[in-house]
Amino acid sequence: MASATYSFLSALAELVGPNGRVSLGNGAGAAEEGITIAQTEDRDTMTIGADGSGMHSLHAGKSGQVTVRLLKTSPTNAILMTIANADFASPANHGQNTILIRDVQRGDAVACSFCAFRRVPDLSYAKVGNTVEWTFNSVSIDYILGTGTPAAVF
């Protein structure tokens, strides 16, 4: 029987690239909002003709954005900043990162290829500690959503 329980404790995420490797999932100091993956554009456009007939246009693009939210106090921020600075300094390395995200309990897997740091995150110094949002552009994102049964994927 499939598990009906979700927990960020089962979320494994990692950025791997020419300038370093860093864990982004459970144990990385993730903020409550965690990690978000969003496609850049729709995969389909529907066109309806004057007579009511319809057509679907399938788009090949699989690009998107990955947003990782960390607590201000997470040591992972310093690691990401070091990798980002090295990536920004080298056109040969820029956009060569891979982000893999797995939910080992649910069997989900997301592979984000040719990832680049979109920019240096906005920072806030206030009365209460805040979060740091790292956004990556990804040329290609492949998804597998599991059945709730733990599976070895990727």
Side-chain angles (χ1 to χ4, degrees), residues 39 41-47 54-61:
Q39 288 189 314
E41 61 182 343
D42 293 339
R43 296 291 302 269
D44 175 79
T45 299
M46 183 173 65
T47 306
M55 159 180 84
H56 289 278
S57 296
L58 177 62
H59 307 290

Side-chain angles (χ1 to χ4, degrees), residues 84-141:
N85 284 336
D87 283 7
F88 291 143
S90 171
N93 292 335
H94 186 74
Q96 299 302 310
N97 297 300
T98 299
I99 298 175
L100 300 174
I101 303 162
R102 295 187 301 142
D103 180 338
V104 295
Q105 183 61 35
R106 309 238 23 97
D108 297 351
V110 182
C112 310
S113 304
F114 302 107
C115 296
F117 287 84
R118 184 171 179 191
R119 62 181 181 171
V120 173
D122 295 338
L123 298 175
S124 176
Y125 297 90
K127 179 179 179 179
V128 176
N130 216 323
T131 60
V132 178
E133 255 187 37
W134 295 90
T135 303
F136 303 88
N137 289 330
S138 177
V139 171
S140 180
I141 303 176

